[in-house]
Amino acid sequence: MSTTDEPIDVGVHDATTDRRYGVTGPRGFRACGVAAGIKSGTALDLALIVNDGPGQQAAGVFTTNQVKAAPVLWSEQVLRERKLRAVVLNSGGANACTGPEGFQDTHATAERAAELLGTGAIEIGVCSTGLIGQRLPMPALLEGLDTAVTGLNDTERASTDAATAVLTTDTHPKQVCLTHPDGWSIGGMVKGAGMLAPNLATMLAVVTTDAGVEGETLQRALRQACSGTFERLDVDGGTSTNDTVLLLSSGASELAPAEAEFTELLTRVCGDLVRQLQHDAEGATKAIDITVRGAASEEDAVSIARLVAEDNLVSAALFGSDPNWGRIAMAVGRSAVTIDASVMEIIANGVTLYSGGTPVADRDTVDLSGRDIEIVVDLRLGDHSATVLTTDLSHDYVEENSAYST
Amino acid sequence: MSTTDEPIDVGVHDATTDRRYGVTGPRGFRACGVAAGIKSGTALDLALIVNDGPGQQAAGVFTTNQVKAAPVLWSEQVLRERKLRAVVLNSGGANACTGPEGFQDTHATAERAAELLGTGAIEIGVCSTGLIGQRLPMPALLEGLDTAVTGLNDTERASTDAATAVLTTDTHPKQVCLTHPDGWSIGGMVKGAGMLAPNLATMLAVVTTDAGVEGETLQRALRQACSGTFERLDVDGGTSTNDTVLLLSSGASELAPAEAEFTELLTRVCGDLVRQLQHDAEGATKAIDITVRGAASEEDAVSIARLVAEDNLVSAALFGSDPNWGRIAMAVGRSAVTIDASVMEIIANGVTLYSGGTPVADRDTVDLSGRDIEIVVDLRLGDHSATVLTTDLSHDYVEENSAYST
């Protein structure tokens, strides 16, 4: 996931991983997931995550889509203060393209949560995911919030319930917690499969930490961590109206790590969550890493890796475990970056298939039948590289996405 | 297909259409399609189209992909003279990424055709389509050329055989001929589904005319016709290494139309061929026209229409006849062009679904169950518009493209 071949080692390589706990892993956080009736049936659909402090510093990054959902407009606004007491998340409706009324629904959600927690609405972040263009069932949502507040706690179950309540087409909750040898932790949960250039469905992530980190530092660390992780997952080139990553710091560990050390552990947490997203993407049967190396700049490497990751013909071939490297060459050739087809190399799962302008190995010598596939394109034009994570284009992807709103 | 709402009418609206004849419709052309054994079995796989003159003016447009197949490199080079006596086309192999040896194979093909026709290799265009990265079976191809020359004629059967010999995953030959009231004609054939930004598989098109048109005028007319037709088809954002459109003029009608009139009829021929490509695209069950209007420039309109056309989530929803307009809003919002989500409108098959920032009709009031779907996005920011043709993302698309090279 790192953007360079040699990540800086600042001493957290022996951090403890705990996959059972997510946002309640770090001290100072409680969570709850309830079935509010936003979705039909008894599925969990409303999550509440509360930061009990002592600190309430926060940071966020949001979708770059010009069509922004009401909760994105709201959360962007309140995060200017770099402070959040709590986050309310719902599945069952994106609250996007719902006009001023939809924004009022988000505001009312924040107001109710603030009232219940004894704070102001400006300290409440809101995230939504689901179908675009429909109002949320507000009476059910607000009643669900009342229930959620009474169920808040810091158990493994609470963390898992919260991570479950935000799921849409995901098949299982995705969370992680890493603890630094010094004793501070970063935990997180995520749903969906994308961010910024990527995504299949909305991606929502909440990351918590008991390290004491000041707001502007949190924001800087989050931007940097996202750029090498969430922003390097590209399933289908889409960008949701609702994508959001929030980071909350309680400071409850009474430890204040150096920025570089904090950023490194944060990047690992985000990287772990991204890998979970990749493995649980809609209809995915393959986890594909596209690495472009030998580029004149990292930006070039990322843009070419994205072209390959987003190419339907490449993705469909890999679904069929077919080492059809000609389609990779075609995708690379579409780049606005100048390349030289006579010097570049294409390598699949370690076997060089194309080099010096001609095929150099029989395609049958490559085995792509497993889940994990590594494609390397060496441009041989410079020293920069980047990896973009993607998935295959499967029948299940088409099935899930052709029957979504009906 | 036109780039403006009101195409200039220069008097060919009563042109005669003949779908049975393609490249041999205009006088002065002979064709042949043979089974050379490039593909396995007895499928036609080699086409020869000969211009018997008296004129031999020609023009061409080629893929923008930086990875260009050997026949593209060859044909681009020979067309600098704006003169072609004949075109050789093969399916069963793209002859791309095959190095200097692959280029020699193309050269040898042109040499043999030239020898058989009593001209120079520089007057022979070559086009190939099929799998990238494999050498062509040259003995079989050259022997097939010998056979093809003996079978040349100007019958309907010859035209259809030539149009059949270039097919890969197409389900039927695609050709048309239009005759101007003054008595000159333009005919054409096409295979594949794409060009420039588009394509699913390689697109090859050969267009013939018995109008007497000088080379530079032919080239100008072809560029203009392509910009409003082939370049407005976008199935999956790909761009083949082999895409080629060639235009040959025999002048056998002894008529020399004005450039505007010639360009208009040429645009109609190309538009007809593009519509046939759209309907026969790999796995397509829908023919979808994406029109963006109210744009500040035509360029803006095209770029946004492309984003919608290439979006997998939109394409999969339309495969399911699902009017999930939120995905269209999401795709539009990804544009680098500044839009205003609170003023834009989204209209599907004539029903306005989104306007003024909110949903304005129940999605169930739209029927998308038929083959033809028209999506209109009105940005309400200016007076320019453009239409991009696309298809849906179906199970058959995944099936065909995951089992291609194996």
Side-chain angles (χ1 to χ4, degrees):
Chain A
M1 293 306 304
S2 68
T3 61
T4 57
D5 291 331
E6 297 294 333
I8 301 157
D9 185 352
V10 292
V12 296
H13 54 275
D14 53 354
T16 311
T17 304
D18 185 342
R19 268 182 205 288
R20 294 167 305 162
Y21 282 78
V23 290
T24 63
R27 282 157 287 183
F29 293 93
R30 289 177 298 154
C32 187
V34 300
I38 307 168
K39 286 177 170 173
S40 60
T42 57
L44 300 183
D45 53 16
L46 186 71
L48 178 63
I49 299 165
V50 173
N51 179 357
D52 291 319
Q56 261 127 23
Q57 299 288 310
V61 300
F62 300 92
T63 182
T64 56
N65 199 303
Q66 294 183 76
V67 179
K68 292 183 205 300
V72 167
L73 296 171
W74 171 266
S75 297
E76 272 189 324
Q77 190 64 32
V78 301
L79 263 169
R80 293 187 184 187
E81 302 295 324
R82 299 269 184 268
K83 192 177 174 189
L84 285 182
R85 170 89 168 101
V87 183
V88 181
L89 308 97
N90 74 275
S91 54
N95 197 7
C97 297
T98 44
E101 296 79 6
F103 190 80
Q104 284 164 17
D105 291 342
T106 294
H107 189 182
T109 302
E111 285 284 4
R112 176 69 70 103
E115 188 186 329
L116 291 166
L117 296 169
T119 183
I122 197 173
E123 296 191 357
I124 309 294
V126 182
C127 301
S128 299
T129 181
L131 190 60
I132 295 173
Q134 290 190 339
R135 298 277 301 278
L136 292 170
M138 287 305 293
L141 193 154
L142 296 178
E143 200 177 318
L145 259 182
D146 298 346
T147 309
V149 167
T150 65
L152 285 168
N153 66 68
D154 62 359
T155 60
E156 176 186 338
R157 170 69 184 271
S159 173
T160 303
D161 281 354
T164 302
V166 294
L167 304 183
T168 52
T169 56
D170 312 60
T171 64
H172 56 79
K174 289 174 272 291
Q175 51 186 342
V176 69
C177 183
L178 297 184
T179 301
H180 188 276
D182 288 350
W184 53 275
S185 299
I186 304 179
M189 63 181 229
V190 69
K191 67 79 49 180
M195 177 74 194
L196 301 179
N199 98 347
L200 198 46
T202 289
M203 190 198 76
L204 301 179
V206 178
V207 179
T208 57
T209 181
D210 52 17
V213 185
E214 168 274 329
E216 291 308 317
T217 309
L218 278 185
Q219 184 67 37
R220 218 163 32 234
L222 185 60
R223 282 232 167 268
Q224 188 174 331
C226 285
S227 75
T229 57
F230 293 119
E231 295 177 20
R232 296 287 169 87
L233 175 67
D234 194 339
V235 169
D236 56 9
T239 310
S240 164
T241 52
N242 292 54
D243 291 335
T244 301
V245 183
L246 299 178
L247 170 59
L248 285 67
S249 159
S250 70
S253 70
E254 298 183 359
L255 296 164
E259 182 171 347
E261 203 158 37
F262 180 75
T263 303
E264 190 198 331
L265 193 65
L266 178 64
T267 302
R268 287 195 191 192
V269 166
C270 293
D272 187 286
L273 292 173
V274 163
R275 191 60 84 179
Q276 293 185 57
L277 283 175
Q278 180 191 28
H279 289 173
D280 194 31
E282 279 176 347
T285 73
K286 304 283 189 182
I288 305 161
D289 290 11
I290 311 284
T291 296
V292 173
R293 67 185 188 205
S297 70
E298 186 182 334
E299 191 186 357
D300 286 0
V302 171
S303 73
I304 292 175
R306 274 197 196 292
L307 276 177
V308 177
E310 293 177 12
D311 192 277
N312 280 354
L313 294 171
V314 172
S315 303
L318 295 179
F319 166 58
S321 301
D322 179 1
N324 191 337
W325 58 267
R327 294 180 178 178
I328 298 170
M330 180 274 285
V332 172
R334 287 164 49 208
S335 173
V337 175
T338 302
I339 57 112
D340 183 345
S342 72
V343 304
M344 78 172 180
E345 296 193 343
I346 299 174
I347 302 145
N349 279 0
V351 179
T352 302
L353 293 166
Y354 176 74
S355 178
T358 56
V360 291
D362 191 293
R363 66 184 69 218
D364 296 336
T365 57
V366 187
D367 180 8
L368 302 183
S369 62
R371 186 193 63 172
D372 297 321
I373 296 177
E374 191 184 9
I375 303 292
V376 176
V377 177
D378 191 338
L379 301 177
R380 300 173 72 97
L381 297 172
D383 297 326
H384 296 267
S385 68
T387 299
V388 167
L389 308 189
T390 190
T391 61
D392 54 340
L393 178 57
S394 68
H395 286 300
D396 285 350
Y397 177 92
V398 173
E399 190 63 29
E400 290 194 31
N401 287 300
S402 60
Y404 180 46
S405 76
T406 49
Chain B
M1 291 310 302
S2 69
T3 63
T4 58
D5 292 329
E6 297 293 334
I8 300 158
D9 184 353
V10 293
V12 295
H13 54 274
D14 54 352
T16 311
T17 303
D18 186 341
R19 267 183 204 287
R20 294 169 305 165
Y21 283 77
V23 290
T24 62
R27 282 157 287 185
F29 292 93
R30 290 177 297 155
C32 187
V34 300
I38 306 169
K39 285 176 171 173
S40 59
T42 58
L44 300 182
D45 53 16
L46 186 71
L48 177 63
I49 299 165
V50 173
N51 180 358
D52 291 320
Q56 262 128 21
Q57 299 290 309
V61 300
F62 300 92
T63 183
T64 56
N65 199 303
Q66 295 184 73
V67 179
K68 293 182 204 300
V72 167
L73 295 170
W74 171 266
S75 297
E76 271 188 326
Q77 189 64 32
V78 300
L79 263 168
R80 293 187 184 187
E81 302 294 325
R82 298 270 183 267
K83 193 176 175 191
L84 284 183
R85 170 87 168 101
V87 183
V88 181
L89 308 96
N90 75 274
S91 54
N95 197 7
C97 297
T98 44
E101 295 81 6
F103 189 81
Q104 285 165 16
D105 291 342
T106 294
H107 189 183
T109 302
E111 286 283 3
R112 176 71 69 103
E115 188 186 330
L116 292 166
L117 296 168
T119 182
I122 198 172
E123 296 190 0
I124 309 295
V126 181
C127 302
S128 299
T129 181
L131 188 61
I132 295 173
Q134 290 190 340
R135 297 278 300 280
L136 291 169
M138 288 306 292
L141 193 155
L142 296 177
E143 200 176 318
L145 259 181
D146 298 346
T147 310
V149 167
T150 65
L152 284 169
N153 66 68
D154 62 0
T155 60
E156 177 187 336
R157 170 68 184 272
S159 174
T160 303
D161 281 354
T164 303
V166 294
L167 304 183
T168 52
T169 56
D170 312 60
T171 64
H172 56 79
K174 290 174 273 291
Q175 52 185 341
V176 70
C177 183
L178 298 183
T179 301
H180 189 276
D182 288 350
W184 52 274
S185 300
I186 305 179
M189 63 181 228
V190 69
K191 67 78 49 180
M195 178 71 194
L196 301 182
N199 99 348
L200 197 49
T202 288
M203 191 198 75
L204 301 180
V206 178
V207 179
T208 58
T209 182
D210 52 18
V213 186
E214 167 274 327
E216 290 307 318
T217 309
L218 278 185
Q219 184 68 35
R220 221 166 26 235
L222 184 60
R223 281 234 166 266
Q224 188 172 330
C226 286
S227 74
T229 56
F230 293 120
E231 294 177 20
R232 295 288 169 87
L233 176 67
D234 193 339
V235 170
D236 56 7
T239 310
S240 165
T241 51
N242 291 53
D243 292 335
T244 301
V245 183
L246 298 178
L247 170 59
L248 284 67
S249 159
S250 69
S253 70
E254 298 183 358
L255 296 164
E259 182 171 348
E261 202 158 39
F262 180 74
T263 303
E264 191 198 331
L265 194 65
L266 179 62
T267 302
R268 287 197 192 193
V269 167
C270 293
D272 187 286
L273 292 173
V274 163
R275 191 61 84 180
Q276 293 185 57
L277 282 176
Q278 180 191 27
H279 289 174
D280 195 31
E282 278 175 351
T285 73
K286 304 282 188 183
I288 305 161
D289 290 12
I290 310 283
T291 296
V292 173
R293 68 186 188 205
S297 71
E298 186 182 334
E299 191 187 359
D300 285 0
V302 171
S303 73
I304 292 175
R306 273 195 197 292
L307 275 178
V308 177
E310 292 176 11
D311 192 277
N312 280 353
L313 293 172
V314 172
S315 303
L318 295 178
F319 167 57
S321 301
D322 178 1
N324 191 338
W325 58 266
R327 292 180 178 177
I328 298 170
M330 179 275 284
V332 172
R334 286 165 47 207
S335 173
V337 176
T338 301
I339 57 113
D340 184 345
S342 71
V343 304
M344 79 170 179
E345 296 192 343
I346 298 174
I347 302 145
N349 280 359
V351 179
T352 303
L353 293 166
Y354 175 75
S355 178
T358 57
V360 291
D362 190 295
R363 68 184 68 216
D364 296 337
T365 58
V366 188
D367 180 8
L368 302 183
S369 61
R371 185 193 64 172
D372 297 322
I373 295 178
E374 191 184 9
I375 302 293
V376 177
V377 176
D378 192 338
L379 300 176
R380 301 174 72 95
L381 298 172
D383 298 326
H384 296 268
S385 68
T387 299
V388 168
L389 309 188
T390 189
T391 62
D392 54 340
L393 178 58
S394 69
H395 286 300
D396 285 351
Y397 176 93
V398 173
E399 191 61 30
E400 291 195 31
N401 287 300
S402 60
Y404 180 46
S405 76
T406 49

